[in-house]
Every structure is written in structure tokens, then in C-alpha cells.
């Protein structure tokens, strides 16, 4: 498909958009499974680019059970580096058969004609996943561009011993969260409930998602950017108020200073995702067994909801000469009980498949949270409330703008109004520069 036409089709298939496209258009975009697959003779060899640890051990299980389809894992960097590498390889028609792609990267990869439509090959997998996750692989269309692999529902992590020491209760609403932060400051000025960090836009995106934000939508064939929508502005104003008042810290995460703050109890809570125990294991090793997890504070307790921070998929590229076989592996990897158990054990991921979230592989809590035996039971309940996300073709630009603009505002404790406007404007300008039509 010509690149310009691919862009127009993508604009009409934005996440959360109820635009109905003709089946012929989507068929033209997809690759199908009949061409090279059926013509192939002998064993099929597939290459899979992935950054998850020990994925070659999981693939070895498949290889032992499927001698006619061999999968070779090639370890890659994650994030924007991998997206760039995939796009570059696709333009040279040298992409691998399969790639691990984050949910927010799918529109970018589809707009660059890097991913195949595998809707026919994976149609039976849809009911294995929460609707909000599956929707992100379809971009709101009849096509399917990937199979969900892992997810990162947001939760609230807190030091049980220090909450007890300072007479704090676990907040169930964001108003209670703010009150808890201020109460802690009044009792122990040297401590903070948490920090607002501008070095990872994924958390802020997830918080906006929980509040009902839809950052990318479409009007007809045009993209519409809503990064400064009412839901996001509510979230930004909430955190800006806490930062401006000094009720919470304003330092970035993942620094030696942040690690020390968690390890010494200078910060006593963290809004994070289900994968947080792994981070705390290295960031705050002296606090093992002192943490607990609870649902994210709510804007409306009558309608429980959470956002996502992270999460990835397994996608088949347009360059693959064995798309049906690749789709078969992608489905097995993310729905087969043995494969899911191996993903949890070897790769340490939180599986996207609903059944696996409460399955035997997650029967025991993370070692760092051994004091909370129902950790994964509660996590599965929270995961079911994950709000749908809306991604566009230039998430990397929006995330970079967040880091720059919110970083300066957080450091100055000056409020986030201008930062959010800049983030919106920079994202819109980039879409136009790339040649996308943008609605006002």
C-alpha cells in the first residue's frame, strides 16, 4: 500500500474511534496468510525481535513442540530505539517476522506500513483479553495488528509500617490522597508521600487515561489531538497543586536520590504499575516486606477505573514471508497456559491474558511483597477495570514534550498549565509536519 494512503487509513482507524471502514480497504492493508506461507516447503524459520528477558527460553518450548516452525529470538533495546529500528528495517524490507511492540507504538508502526493485519489468523484470541487491551491492537478498526502480551495496570504502593506510624489511612479517592500528603507533611516535614516525576510520561498518560482522557481521536480522515482535554487538565492541575504547595516532592524517578528516598522512608508511597515490586527490589532493598499494594485512588468511587503504565504486544511484520506461522506463534505465546507460565517465570512479565492473571503462575505474591499473599488476586481485580487508551502516530513526540515542558515546570513548582499547552501544540505541529491532516 502506498505510504500516503496508509496514513489516511490509519487516521480513520484511531483508537476509540467508531469509524467503520470497508472490508476491502482493510484487506488491502493487511497481508493475509495465503501467499508465501502456503507456497513454503520444509520447516519455517521465524525471527522474533524482543527485549523481554529470557524470551529465548520461552521460544524453546515452542520449538520443541513445533519442529516445522522454528522461532529464533534476537534481543533488542526497548522503547523508541526499537520503534526506530523496526521502521528503518521495514523501509529496507528487512524487518523480522515478529516484533515485541508497546501498545502506544502500534499506530506509529502501522502508519509506517511495518505491521500486518492478522485479524483472520488470530480471531479466536479476542476473548482471552480485557476489551480495553484488545481494542488497542485494532486501532478501532476491523483489523488486528498484534496480540496483547503484557500489561501494566496502575496501583498504589505504600509503606505499611510508616502509614501506621504516622496514623495515615490508605486513600481511596484523589481528594483523600491529597489530604494524606498534606497530613504527612504536617507530622513529618522531612518526608513526602511521593514525588511528581517528569522523566517518564507513561505514568502521567496512565493517570490521564484513568480520568477519561483521549489524547488522539479522529474527525473523518483527520487526527484530533486532545492532550489538553478536560480530563488531562484535571489531572495536571491536581498534581501541580501538590507540587506547588510542597505537599509532595518534585524530583524525578529512577535516580540515586529517588532510590535513597524510597529505601530510607523519605518517600513512603509510590503510584506505579503492577511491575513495581521488581523496581523496589533494587531501588529500596532494605524495605522488603514493608510494602503493600492497593487500588489506585479514584475520581469516582462508583465507577472504579485504573490506567496503564507500560504493556506490550507481539506483532507480525509486513515483511514476514510466513505470516500465518508467525501469527500462530504470537497467539500461542500469549494465550497458551504453558507459554504464559513460562512468560511469568522466565520473563517476569504480568501477562495480558485474563486467565493467566489469576492462574497458577501467579499463585504466590512477589517475593518483595511476601507479606501480602493476595497481591495478584487483587491485581487481577484491578486489571479488569483498566480504562481504554487512545494512542496516535507520534506518541514519542508527545512523551518527549512532556519530559521537557513538565520537567521545567515541576522543578520551578510553577504549575502545569503552560506545560500542558506546549505539549499539545508540539504534538499537533509534529503531526502536520509529518503530513497528517489535523482537525482543529
Amino acid at each position: 500500500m502506498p505510504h500516503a494512503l496508509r496514513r489516511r487509513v490509519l487516521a480513520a482507524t484511531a483508537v476509540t474511534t467508531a469509524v467503520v471502514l470497508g472490508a476491502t480497504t482493510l484487506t488491502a492493508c493487511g497481508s493475509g496468510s495465503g501467499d508465501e506461507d502456503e507456497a513454503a516447503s520444509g520447516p519455517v524459520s521465524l525471527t522474533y525481535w524482543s527485549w523481554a528477558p529470557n524470551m529465548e527460553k520461552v521460544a524453546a518450548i515452542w520449538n520443541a513442540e513445533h519442529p516445522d516452525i522454528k522461532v529464533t529470538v534476537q534481543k533488542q533495546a526497548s522503547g523508541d530505539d526499537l520503534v526506530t529500528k523496526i521502521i528503518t528495517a521495514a523501509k529496507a524490507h528487512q524487518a523480522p517476522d515478529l516484533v515485541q511492540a508497546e501498545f502506544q507504538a502500534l499506530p506509529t508502526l502501522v502508519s509506517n506500513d511495518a505491521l500486518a493485519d492478522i485479524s483472520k489468523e488470530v480471531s479466536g484470541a479476542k476473548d482471552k483479553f480485557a476489551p480495553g487491551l484488545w481494542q488497542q491492537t485494532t486501532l478501532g478498526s476491523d483489523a488486528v495488528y498484534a496480540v496483547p502480551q503484557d500489561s501494566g495496570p496502575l496501583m498504589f504502593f505504600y509503606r505499611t509500617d510508616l502509614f501506621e506510624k504516622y496514623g495515615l489511612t490508605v486513600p481511596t479517592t484523589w481528594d483523600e490522597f491529597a489530604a494524606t500528603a498534606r497530613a504527612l507533611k504536617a507530622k513529618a516535614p522531612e518526608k513526602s508521600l511521593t514525588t511528581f516525576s517528569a522523566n517518564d510520561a507513561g505514568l502521567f498518560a496512565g493517570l490521564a487515561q484513568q480520568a477519561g482522557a483521549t489524547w488522539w481521536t479522529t474527525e473523518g480522515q483527520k487526527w484530533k489531538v486532545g492532550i489538553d482535554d478536560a480530563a488531562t487538565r484535571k489531572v495536571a492541575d491536581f498534581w501541580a497543586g501538590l507540587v506547588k504547595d510542597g505537599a509532595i516532592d518534585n524530583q524525578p524517578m529512577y535516580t540515586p536520590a529517588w532510590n535513597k528516598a524510597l529505601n530510607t522512608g523519605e518517600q513512603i508511597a509510590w503510584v506505579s504499575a503492577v511491575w513495581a515490586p521488581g523496581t523496589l527490589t533494587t531501588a529500596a532493598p532494605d524495605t522488603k516486606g514493608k510494602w503493600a499494594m492497593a487500588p489506585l485512588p479514584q475520581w469516582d468511587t462508583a465507577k472504579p477505573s485504573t490506567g496503564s503504565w507500560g504493556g506490550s504486544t507481539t506483532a507480525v511484520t509486513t515483511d514476514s514471508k510466513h505470516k500465518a506461522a508467525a501469527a500462530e506463534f504470537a497467539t500461542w505465546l500469549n494465550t497458551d497456559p504453558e507459554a504464559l507460565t513460562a512468560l511469568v517465570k522466565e520473563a517476569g512479565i504480568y501477562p495480558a491474558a485474563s486467565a493467566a492473571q489469576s492462574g497458577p503462575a501467579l499463585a504466590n505474591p512477589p517475593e518483595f511483597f511476601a507479606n501480602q499473599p493476595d497481591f495478584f488476586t487483587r491485581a487481577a481485580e484491578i486489571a479488569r477495570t483498566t480504562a481504554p487508551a487512545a494512542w496516535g502516530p507520534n506518541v514519542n513526540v508527545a512523551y518527549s514534550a512532556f519530559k521537557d515542558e513538565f520537567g521545567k515546570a515541576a522543578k520551578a513548582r510553577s504549575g502545569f498549565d503552560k506545560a500542558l499547552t506546549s505539549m499539545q501544540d508540539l504534538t499537533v505541529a509534529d503531526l502536520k509536519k509529518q503530513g497528517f491532516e489535523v482537525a482543529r
Side-chain angles (χ1 to χ4, degrees), residues 153-186:
L154 290 177
M155 302 164 184
F156 179 67
F157 298 85
Y158 64 99
R159 284 281 299 271
T160 55
D161 55 334
L162 297 180
F163 262 59
E164 181 178 358
K165 178 179 179 178
Y166 295 110
L168 306 175
T169 56
V170 178
T172 60
T173 68
W174 286 111
D175 284 343
E176 291 177 1
F177 180 93
T180 301
R182 293 188 168 95
L184 176 63
K185 274 295 178 185

Side-chain angles (χ1 to χ4, degrees), residues 43 107 110 145 164 195 246 282 333 356 433:
V110 172
Y145 295 104
E164 181 178 358
T195 188
T282 55
L333 179 66
K433 182 180 179 180

Side-chain angles (χ1 to χ4, degrees), residues 250-271:
N250 64 339
Q251 300 302 310
M253 300 177 291
Y254 311 126
T255 65
W258 180 74
N259 291 347
K260 181 180 178 182
L262 291 176
N263 199 39
T264 62
E266 182 182 338
Q267 288 182 26
I268 70 171
W270 185 25
V271 175

Side-chain angles (χ1 to χ4, degrees), residues 83-94:
V83 173
T84 300
K85 186 173 182 178
I86 293 169
I87 292 172
T88 301
K91 289 180 178 179
H93 298 293
Q94 295 179 346

Side-chain angles (χ1 to χ4, degrees), residues 118-120 143 232 414:
I118 53 174
S119 53
K120 293 181 180 179
T232 307
S414 59

Side-chain angles (χ1 to χ4, degrees), residues 106-322:
L106 293 178
T108 300
L109 294 173
V110 172
S111 70
N112 282 276
D113 202 19
L115 302 185
D117 172 14
I118 53 174
S119 53
K120 293 181 180 179
E121 292 83 0
V122 302
S123 59
K126 178 178 179 180
D127 294 338
K128 306 288 186 181
F129 306 93
L133 292 180
W134 186 260
Q135 179 193 42
Q136 294 182 63
T137 69
T138 69
L139 308 190
S141 73
D142 293 331
V144 177
Y145 295 104
V147 180
Q149 181 164 302
D150 61 284
S151 62
L154 290 177
M155 302 164 184
F156 179 67
F157 298 85
Y158 64 99
R159 284 281 299 271
T160 55
D161 55 334
L162 297 180
F163 262 59
E164 181 178 358
K165 178 179 179 178
Y166 295 110
L168 306 175
T169 56
V170 178
T172 60
T173 68
W174 286 111
D175 284 343
E176 291 177 1
F177 180 93
T180 301
R182 293 188 168 95
L184 176 63
K185 274 295 178 185
K187 295 178 180 180
E190 75 283 3
K191 295 187 180 294
S192 296
L193 180 64
T194 191
T195 188
F196 179 86
S197 173
N199 65 348
D200 193 325
L203 175 56
F204 183 74
L207 293 171
Q209 176 189 346
Q210 183 210 23
T214 50
W215 284 3
W216 284 269
T217 55
T218 61
E219 287 186 1
Q221 298 296 310
K222 297 180 179 180
W223 280 102
K224 185 171 184 179
V225 180
I227 289 174
D228 63 349
D229 64 7
T232 307
R233 194 160 291 280
K234 176 174 68 173
V235 173
D237 289 346
F238 173 83
W239 288 94
L242 293 176
V243 171
K244 194 171 183 179
D245 294 347
I248 61 173
D249 200 358
N250 64 339
Q251 300 302 310
M253 300 177 291
Y254 311 126
T255 65
W258 180 74
N259 291 347
K260 181 180 178 182
L262 291 176
N263 199 39
T264 62
E266 182 182 338
Q267 288 182 26
I268 70 171
W270 185 25
V271 175
S272 187
V274 68
W275 42 258
T279 300
L280 292 172
T281 298
T282 55
D286 296 341
T287 65
K288 180 180 179 180
K290 298 179 179 180
W291 292 82
M293 177 270 288
L296 199 65
Q298 299 294 305
W299 294 107
D300 182 355
T301 55
K303 300 176 181 178
S305 177
T306 193
S308 294
W309 185 6
S312 66
T313 68
T314 309
V316 178
T317 70
T318 51
D319 280 346
S320 177
K321 296 181 180 179
H322 309 289

Side-chain angles (χ1 to χ4, degrees), residues 53-118:
N54 299 319
M55 191 61 74
E56 68 279 0
K57 295 182 180 180
V58 184
I61 299 173
W62 164 274
N63 290 336
E65 298 174 354
H66 301 79
D68 292 335
I69 304 174
K70 180 182 178 182
V71 176
T72 299
V73 176
Q74 294 182 352
K75 190 69 176 291
Q76 304 293 323
S78 60
D80 291 342
D81 290 342
L82 180 56
V83 173
T84 300
K85 186 173 182 178
I86 293 169
I87 292 172
T88 301
K91 289 180 178 179
H93 298 293
Q94 295 179 346
D97 298 277
L98 297 130
V99 294
Q100 183 180 1
E102 293 177 292
F103 284 105
Q104 67 266 23
L106 293 178
T108 300
L109 294 173
V110 172
S111 70
N112 282 276
D113 202 19
L115 302 185
D117 172 14
I118 53 174

